[in-house]
Amino acid sequence: MAARKPSRRVALVVLAAGQGKRMKSARPKVLHPVCGRPSLWHVLKAGVAARPATVVVVVSRHREEVESAVKSWGLRPAPRFVDQGEPLGTGHAVLVAEDAIGRADDVLVMPGDDPLITPSDVRAVLSTHRRTRAAATIATTVLDDPSGYGRVIRRGHDLEEIVQEADATPEVRQIREVSTLVYAFRREELFQALPLVGRDNRLREFYLPDVIAILKDKGERVAAVELDLGGGLGLNTRRGLARVSSIMRGRIVEEHMTNGVTFVDPDTAYVDVEVRIGADTVIRPGTYLEGGTRIGSACTIGPWSRIVDSAVGDESEVVFSHVRGSRIGPKSTVGPFANLRPGTVLEEGAKAGTFVEIKASRVGKGSKVPHLAYVGDAVIGRGVNLGAGTVTVNYDGFQKHRTVIGDEAHIGSDTMLVAPVNVGKRAWTGAGSTITKNVPRGALAVERTEQRIVRGYDERKRARAAGGRSNPKDEGPEGRRGGRSRG
């Protein structure tokens, strides 16, 4: 049996020192979010598909912010950070990473502001690089509008030339295939060529693409691999960010549809990259699924709902509602016009209905909060029904207090539950009551003043409004008190 050739060691170098002046933002360009994650996160996730022995992130003026973000992602191998100092171009950025790269055989270079590169794209570039034994391999893509980009002239996999637009003939400008900043290099040839790169350009910077011409002049082979990036490339401007985000959203939705999810209107669905959705779920128009949200199977979500960092169980429905940091059990219903705030848990078959707000509370199996209610810092048992207008009065101006409602309790409409308070199992509260004391199991709690009738009130009220005068003796104390209105 022939001896197996040792695999070539790869170093991944990600360029994250760009200032992003055209973004007009205090945030580093590479940390602008694209479908729920920063651009740099997407690039690093794609780059590690090459199974690099070393990951190097080149940073500059926003070093602390970029390093903190990258370290929080828990990548393996853990990235090393190299400070470029004064950014002098992409060629300079790779040159300062030489020591950190170490003894790798190949160097994969990726820009931190191009999140559309996928793991399969990275594998395609490296595969071509090794198969052709090229000194360098460059990724290219086709743009609808290639203005401002270097045009690629090649024969098969072999790159002939990259022609900058200022130097291009009318015929060359018709070419829509352009170069990206994704490269694979043989390490030795790369670092022999980099010191030869000059700064004879408008910005007086060292450009990495100039290495290609140097290698070609030496007679080295340079390969090119065309990638389908959906017609977008990088996020140098807000317009570019919007374009890149749109392309990625389309990819995400397509993948979910392939896996058995129905999107009634894919163009109005906004789904982040880490969202998971079960088969046979229907996503209706205007739906936002963000962060680490998990949607079960056979659910109906939307229209016009936003769910953030939440879990929705199988066969549940969320309609015209806002859900954040919550867990919704199977066969539950939310909305329309409900607001579930962080810490909310709906158990199986529970309901949070129309104009209901719930915060930091658990609603038991089969319990219902149908409409016009606020539930905060509460534990509601199984089979409970909260009447319309119920409020758990949880805040005394200084601290939050808890309300506990036992299984199968019935809370009458317009009940104020002044926490801390417990309502026992199968207990009842009368409509319009303000409950300030615990209600024993199976008991009825009613808190109301006696109803009074003031006869002739309307006649006297109208007479006073018309400038007439009624006899105060006829009104009695109830009449005089009732004659004043809050307007």
Side-chain angles (χ1 to χ4, degrees):
M1 181 181 294
R4 187 175 181 180
K5 291 183 179 179
S7 59
R8 294 177 63 83
R9 289 168 58 88
V10 178
L12 170 64
V13 178
V14 177
L15 310 182
Q19 299 179 59
K21 293 180 180 178
R22 285 183 286 172
M23 295 290 286
K24 293 181 172 60
S25 174
R27 176 182 293 174
K29 177 170 63 170
V30 296
L31 295 186
H32 277 267
V34 178
C35 295
R37 281 291 197 169
S39 173
L40 183 58
W41 181 90
H42 293 281
V43 173
L44 286 166
K45 284 290 186 179
V48 297
R51 297 185 178 180
T54 304
V55 177
V56 180
V57 179
V58 181
V59 294
S60 183
R61 293 172 184 167
H62 296 283
R63 174 172 184 160
E64 291 184 2
E65 194 172 348
V66 173
E67 279 193 32
S68 176
V70 173
K71 288 177 180 177
S72 72
W73 300 333
L75 298 169
R76 292 291 179 269
R80 303 177 184 179
F81 299 92
V82 174
D83 196 332
Q84 189 181 356
E86 181 67 23
L88 296 175
T90 51
H92 179 251
V94 176
L95 186 61
V96 300
E98 182 176 8
D99 290 342
I101 286 170
R103 300 178 61 83
D105 300 294
D106 296 309
V107 179
L108 175 66
V109 180
M110 300 179 68
D113 61 353
D114 199 348
L116 294 175
I117 304 296
T118 67
S120 60
D121 292 334
V122 168
R123 287 190 284 266
V125 170
L126 277 178
S127 175
T128 299
H129 181 64
R130 290 167 176 171
R131 187 177 66 254
T132 60
R133 299 182 179 180
T137 301
I138 183 171
T140 70
T141 192
V142 174
L143 299 180
D144 295 334
D145 180 9
S147 302
Y149 291 94
R151 307 306 204 275
V152 170
I153 299 175
R154 61 169 169 161
R155 183 172 61 250
H157 284 303
D158 290 339
L159 178 72
E160 293 291 318
E161 188 180 6
I162 298 174
V163 182
Q164 299 304 319
E165 183 162 306
D167 302 321
T169 64
E171 291 77 13
V172 170
R173 291 187 182 187
Q174 296 301 311
I175 297 172
R176 294 192 296 121
E177 184 177 3
V178 303
S179 60
T180 74
L181 268 176
V182 178
Y183 295 89
F185 293 100
R186 290 205 300 261
R187 180 184 59 82
E188 187 175 350
E189 282 81 353
L190 170 63
F191 290 109
Q192 286 177 352
L194 274 172
L196 304 178
V197 173
R199 302 172 64 184
D200 187 17
N201 53 66
R202 182 174 59 86
L203 296 178
R204 304 292 297 162
E205 292 183 347
F206 300 97
Y207 292 151
L208 185 60
D210 291 350
V211 170
I212 300 299
I214 293 170
L215 293 175
K216 292 287 292 182
D217 288 343
K218 290 174 61 178
E220 297 284 359
R221 185 176 189 180
V222 176
V225 179
E226 182 182 326
L227 306 178
D228 181 5
L229 303 184
L233 186 61
L235 43 88
N236 288 318
T237 63
R238 300 283 181 166
R239 182 177 298 173
L241 174 61
R243 174 64 173 155
V244 164
S245 297
S246 177
I247 293 169
M248 185 169 289
R249 274 201 312 272
R251 290 178 177 178
I252 291 168
V253 170
E254 284 286 343
E255 183 177 358
H256 284 298
M257 290 194 290
T258 299
N259 292 332
V261 179
T262 295
F263 285 80
V264 175
D265 183 5
D267 290 339
T268 61
Y270 299 84
V271 183
D272 281 353
V273 66
E274 293 183 291
V275 170
R276 300 292 177 265
I277 308 174
D280 291 320
T281 285
V282 177
I283 307 297
R284 298 197 178 279
T287 295
Y288 295 75
L289 303 178
E290 302 178 25
T293 291
R294 300 290 183 266
I295 307 295
S297 300
C299 295
T300 299
I301 309 296
W304 302 107
S305 295
R306 182 179 182 226
I307 303 177
V308 184
D309 290 325
S310 299
V312 180
D314 296 345
E315 300 180 48
S316 291
E317 182 179 48
V318 179
V319 181
F320 288 106
S321 294
H322 191 188
V323 179
R324 295 169 291 153
S326 300
R327 289 194 292 117
I328 299 170
K331 300 181 180 179
S332 296
T333 58
V334 177
F337 311 114
N339 181 21
L340 303 191
R341 290 164 56 190
T344 296
V345 177
L346 303 186
E347 295 185 5
E348 181 178 354
K351 178 177 182 177
T354 308
F355 297 111
V356 166
E357 181 170 358
I358 303 178
K359 184 269 295 185
S361 298
R362 177 179 292 271
V363 180
K365 182 177 180 180
S367 291
K368 296 179 174 62
V369 188
H371 35 225
L372 299 164
Y374 170 74
V375 176
D377 300 288
V379 177
I380 299 175
R382 298 185 171 195
V384 174
N385 186 81
L386 267 67
T390 295
V391 174
T392 61
V393 186
N394 58 327
Y395 185 50
D396 64 6
F398 298 94
Q399 293 180 315
K400 301 292 180 68
H401 300 280
R402 182 168 290 274
T403 298
V404 178
I405 301 174
D407 296 345
E408 302 177 53
H410 290 259
I411 307 301
S413 294
D414 201 27
T415 295
M416 301 290 112
L417 297 163
V418 183
V421 69
N422 290 357
V423 177
K425 181 176 181 179
R426 295 186 178 177
W428 298 67
T429 68
S433 296
T434 297
I435 305 301
T436 59
K437 299 177 182 179
N438 292 343
V439 182
R441 175 182 176 133
L444 166 65
V446 181
E447 184 277 333
R448 297 174 185 153
T449 59
E450 181 182 353
Q451 181 174 315
R452 298 180 180 183
I453 305 296
V454 180
R455 299 186 183 279
Y457 175 80
D458 178 73
E459 181 180 350
R460 293 191 292 275
K461 181 76 171 177
R462 293 178 185 276
R464 184 181 295 111
R469 187 178 176 87
S470 61
N471 188 347
K473 294 181 179 179
D474 293 339
E475 295 184 9
E478 294 88 352
R480 289 196 296 272
R481 184 168 55 248
R484 297 183 64 83
S485 170
R486 293 177 62 190

